[in-house]
Amino acid sequence: QVQLVESGGGLVQAGGSLRLSCAASGLTFSRYTMGWFRQTPGKEREFVALMNWSRSSTYYADSVKGRFTISRDNAKNTVYLQMNSLKPEDTAVYYCAVDSSVLTQSRASAYDYWGQGTQVTVSS
């Protein structure tokens, strides 16, 4: 049974930083693309960042480029999202997800497994 558990969310002032973690179990973590998405009430889930299995490819949403960094430790079955220079508009529930296809995709519908989410709130 695949399980993804996010942690590291919280309340931070604008300009601050947070590091999210997502621990995976029940799958061969090193084989899959991992993604981060976020969602606010009433809106669709939005792509944030992804990294492929070999760490050779990363993609970011334009809104977070230069501020967020995705990384992964395949030995620890964990993917991270370092978020710097946070803005109030980054406030959302952040989810990690697994894409079990061989493609590298940013569509939420392409991801097969999801964590429960962690709340990030950025105050102005």
Side-chain angles (χ1 to χ4, degrees):
Q1 181 179 357
V2 177
Q3 189 171 15
L4 304 173
V5 179
E6 300 99 336
S7 61
L11 174 64
V12 64
Q13 288 190 332
S17 298
L18 283 174
R19 188 194 195 203
L20 305 184
S21 299
C22 171
S25 60
L27 76 167
T28 307
F29 178 82
S30 60
R31 290 183 180 177
Y32 302 116
T33 292
M34 297 297 298
W36 284 98
F37 292 78
R38 64 188 182 187
Q39 190 170 25
T40 54
K43 293 190 176 181
E44 292 188 355
R45 202 160 288 189
E46 174 190 26
F47 168 73
V48 175
L50 68 83
M51 175 175 279
N52 74 339
W53 66 275
S54 66
R55 294 173 285 189
S56 61
S57 293
T58 57
Y59 295 95
Y60 296 93
D62 288 343
S63 58
V64 308
K65 275 181 186 175
R67 301 188 298 121
F68 291 11
T69 303
I70 188 171
S71 62
R72 64 190 294 166
D73 185 337
N74 287 344
K76 295 183 177 180
N77 286 3
T78 301
V79 61
Y80 305 96
L81 186 67
Q82 177 67 44
M83 305 187 295
N84 298 329
S85 302
L86 282 161
K87 305 175 181 180
E89 51 264 43
D90 294 319
T91 295
V93 177
Y94 283 72
Y95 299 89
C96 67
V98 178
D99 179 1
S100 60
S101 75
V102 297
L103 303 175
T104 304
Q105 307 174 88
S106 61
R107 293 179 294 110
S109 60
Y111 287 72
D112 308 283
Y113 303 101
W114 294 82
Q116 82 289 348
T118 185
Q119 177 70 48
V120 171
T121 302
V122 184
S123 63
S124 57

